[in-house]
Amino acid sequence: MKHGYLLSVCTFAIIHLGSASENGLARTPQMGWNTWAKFGCGISEETVLSMAKAIVETGLDKFGYQYVVIDDCWHAPSRNQSTGAPLADPTLFPNGIKKLAGDIHGLGLQLGLYSSAGSMTCARRFGSLGYEEIDAETYVSWDIDYLKYDNCYNEGQSGTPLISYNRYKKMFKALNATGRPILYSMCNWGEDQPWNWASTIANSWRISGDLTDNFGRYDDRCPCTSMLDCKLPGFYCSVARIIDFAAPLGSKAGTGGWNDLDILEVITHFSMWSILKSPLLLGNDLTSMSQDTWDIITNDAIIALNQDPVNSAANRVFNRSIEGGGSLSLWVGNLVNGTTVVAIINTSSKHQRLHLSFDEIFIDWLPARTFSYRVFDLWQKTIKAGETLDFSQWTNSTIWGVDLGIRTASLSGIDVGVHATRLFKFVPW
C-alpha cells in the first residue's frame, strides 16, 4: 500500500511576465548538447548539424535531449559596422545561423547560441555588454531558442550581487522585450552568489568555475573549498569539488530556474548531476559514442530523477571522511508520489561497504522511518544479463532499475566502488 505523505505537485501557468522562470521554459532542467567540451573553437555549420543529426539518429531526442548549443567562436571578426548587429563567421557558417536554426528545427530540436556579458567572449570574440538589445533582436531574427551567457571581460562589473544582477538583467530585459521565449542560461561561474538572485532573471545559472575531466584531484586553479563566499571561482574544478559546492544550494533552485553544475564531461558523474537537478548538457562526440556511453546517458531511470516534477534537489545527509582521503556521503531527495531517491557516493580510493538505517535515510521525516519500501537499484538493467538494448527498441518502458524487494528499517550490504555512486529509488509499500 502506498503512503501519500510527501509533496504534492503544484500546477503552474505558462506566462510571459517579469522573470525568466515565468517564460514557460525549463520547467524541469534542460537537456541537450554543447559544442565546447569536444570541439572548442573548432566548430562549423557542418559540425553542429552533424551532432544534431546524431542526436536523432541515436535516439537521444527520445530521452529528452533537445537543445543543440553553439558555444564560443561562431562570431565574425567584427560586428556589422552600420548597425552594430552581431554577425556569424561567413566561412564557418556559410549559410548563416538562421538557415542552420531551420535545419535544427526540422529535426525536431532547438538551437542555442553563446555570448558573454562582457566586452569580449572568453575566446576574445565580440561580447554583448552594451549591445544587449541589438543582440537579442538578432538572435530572435535567427530563430534562436537558447542563450548561454558567459562572464569574461566584464569590465569590473562584478564584486557584489547587485552589480552582477544589474549586468545580467540587461540581457534578460532585452530577451523578454522580443516576445520570443528564449531559455536564458547564465554562466557567471558562481560569482557574487547567483543562486540568491538569478532565479528572478534566468532559467539556469552556473554555480562554480569550469569542470575538468577528473573525479577528485585538487587543482590550485579551482582554489575555493566552498562557493558561498568564493572570490576566485577559477577552472579545472573536479567532479567531487563541484558536488561539494552544490551540496548546500539545492533549495535555491526549482521550476524554471536551476543550479547548473556545468557540461557533462566525466560520464560517471551522470547520477549526481541528475539528482542535484542540474541541466544535463552533453559534451562528447555523439557520432562516435561507445555502447557503454550511450547506455549511461540514456538511463531512463536516472533521467526520470532529473526530470521529476517535484523539482526538488537531493540533500546531503552526511559526509564521512575516509582514512587516506576522500569521503562517503549520503544524499536523499523527494520524488513524485511520495517516492524517495537515495544516493551513496564514494570519493575515496578505497572500496566501501555500509549499512544504512531508515533513521539515517529519513532523518528529516520521522513517520517515513516506520514504512516499508520496495527498493530499486537504478544502475542495474531490467533486461537479462548479456542482452543489449538500443534506442530503436525503446518504447517508454523502464530499461533500468532492478527490483531489490521490500525493505523495512534498513538497507544493508551496500557496496560502493572507488569513485562510484550507488543510486536507489524507495517506493512506499
Side-chain angles (χ1 to χ4, degrees):
M1 178 179 179
K2 294 184 178 180
H3 303 265
Y5 64 90
L6 289 178
L7 301 176
S8 62
V9 180
C10 297
T11 57
F12 60 87
I14 297 179
I15 52 179
H16 193 69
L17 292 175
S19 73
S21 63
E22 295 171 337
N23 62 9
L25 303 175
R27 314 317 294 176
T28 56
Q30 65 266 29
M31 298 174 64
W33 178 85
N34 179 289
T35 61
W36 187 257
K38 176 62 181 179
F39 296 103
C41 282
I43 57 172
S44 67
E45 178 180 304
E46 181 180 358
T47 300
V48 175
L49 190 55
S50 68
M51 292 299 117
K53 290 177 178 177
I55 289 176
V56 176
E57 291 167 358
T58 60
L60 290 174
D61 57 326
K62 292 180 172 64
F63 293 87
Y65 297 97
Q66 62 171 315
Y67 289 104
V68 179
V69 182
I70 305 172
D71 211 287
D72 209 343
C73 303
W74 57 266
H75 314 66
S78 62
R79 293 175 172 274
N80 185 302
Q81 297 300 307
S82 299
T83 66
L87 298 172
D89 188 310
T91 302
L92 299 177
F93 297 90
N95 295 305
I97 301 294
K98 184 177 179 66
K99 173 60 166 60
L100 180 58
D103 293 338
I104 299 292
H105 293 154
L107 293 169
L109 305 174
Q110 301 189 69
L111 183 63
L113 208 59
Y114 164 100
S115 191
S116 181
S119 58
M120 292 187 292
T121 70
C122 296
R124 302 181 66 87
R125 274 58 174 182
F126 55 79
S128 291
L129 188 63
Y131 292 87
E132 291 85 359
E133 290 80 7
I134 187 65
D135 284 6
E137 291 167 3
T138 302
Y139 301 155
V140 168
S141 73
W142 290 346
D143 297 329
I144 295 300
D145 307 294
Y146 183 120
L147 177 65
K148 175 183 174 182
Y149 204 42
D150 219 329
N151 193 31
C152 286
Y153 300 99
N154 62 30
E155 298 188 345
Q157 295 186 42
S158 62
T160 71
L162 183 58
I163 293 172
S164 286
Y165 169 80
N166 286 334
R167 177 163 52 95
Y168 279 93
K169 185 179 180 181
K170 292 177 183 178
M171 182 56 81
F172 155 70
K173 292 178 67 175
L175 294 172
N176 205 47
T178 68
R180 177 183 177 86
I182 294 178
L183 194 152
Y184 185 27
S185 176
M186 274 180 42
C187 181
N188 84 324
W189 323 320
E191 191 173 64
D192 294 331
Q193 303 87 46
W195 44 84
N196 287 326
W197 48 267
S199 63
T200 62
I201 58 173
N203 295 113
S204 63
W205 47 90
R206 280 276 301 280
I207 66 163
S208 71
D210 290 353
L211 175 72
T212 191
D213 188 2
N214 184 277
F215 188 83
R217 181 177 63 84
Y218 173 78
D219 194 301
D220 280 337
R221 291 168 291 186
C222 182
C224 296
T225 57
S226 168
M227 286 303 299
L228 298 184
D229 193 31
C230 179
K231 301 300 183 185
L232 183 62
F235 53 105
Y236 282 87
C237 299
S238 71
V239 173
R241 179 57 58 90
I242 289 181
I243 290 172
D244 280 341
F245 290 159
L249 303 179
S251 64
K252 296 296 186 177
T255 303
W258 307 102
N259 292 313
D260 183 354
L261 278 60
D262 204 1
I263 295 169
L264 287 159
E265 293 183 16
V266 185
I267 296 300
T268 53
H269 69 254
F270 192 71
S271 295
M272 296 307 297
W273 262 231
S274 293
I275 68 170
L276 291 171
K277 295 290 186 175
S278 173
L280 299 180
L281 289 170
L282 307 172
N284 58 310
D285 186 343
L286 303 178
T287 64
S288 58
M289 283 187 294
S290 68
Q291 182 66 43
D292 285 345
T293 295
W294 188 89
D295 283 348
I296 290 169
I297 65 178
T298 60
N299 183 322
D300 54 336
I302 307 299
I303 292 172
L305 303 177
N306 182 257
Q307 301 291 299
D308 187 89
V310 169
N311 286 335
S312 176
N315 297 309
R316 186 161 64 184
V317 176
F318 65 66
N319 189 35
R320 298 170 180 166
S321 296
I322 302 297
E323 184 178 354
S327 65
L328 190 68
S329 59
L330 170 66
W331 301 71
V332 178
N334 297 325
L335 303 172
V336 72
N337 296 326
T339 57
T340 300
V341 59
V342 176
I344 305 101
I345 180 170
N346 177 18
T347 67
S348 79
S349 58
K350 299 178 182 178
H351 176 276
Q352 301 295 323
R353 185 177 179 85
L354 75 159
H355 166 97
L356 287 175
S357 71
F358 284 7
D359 288 348
E360 292 175 296
I361 295 172
F362 299 104
I363 191 170
D364 291 332
W365 191 257
L366 180 61
R369 305 174 195 175
T370 65
F371 300 158
S372 295
Y373 296 85
R374 186 171 290 279
V375 178
F376 297 86
D377 185 339
L378 301 186
W379 278 113
Q380 296 292 324
K381 281 188 176 180
T382 58
I383 61 176
K384 296 178 181 178
E387 291 183 348
T388 59
L389 187 65
D390 62 30
F391 80 91
S392 64
Q393 298 169 280
W394 189 74
T395 57
N396 289 316
S397 60
T398 300
I399 299 169
W400 295 87
V402 166
D403 187 346
L404 301 181
I406 298 172
R407 304 298 174 93
T408 302
S410 67
L411 184 62
S412 302
I414 307 168
D415 291 303
V416 191
V418 174
H419 296 171
T421 301
R422 297 294 303 275
L423 203 53
F424 304 95
K425 183 169 72 173
F426 281 52
V427 180
W429 203 257

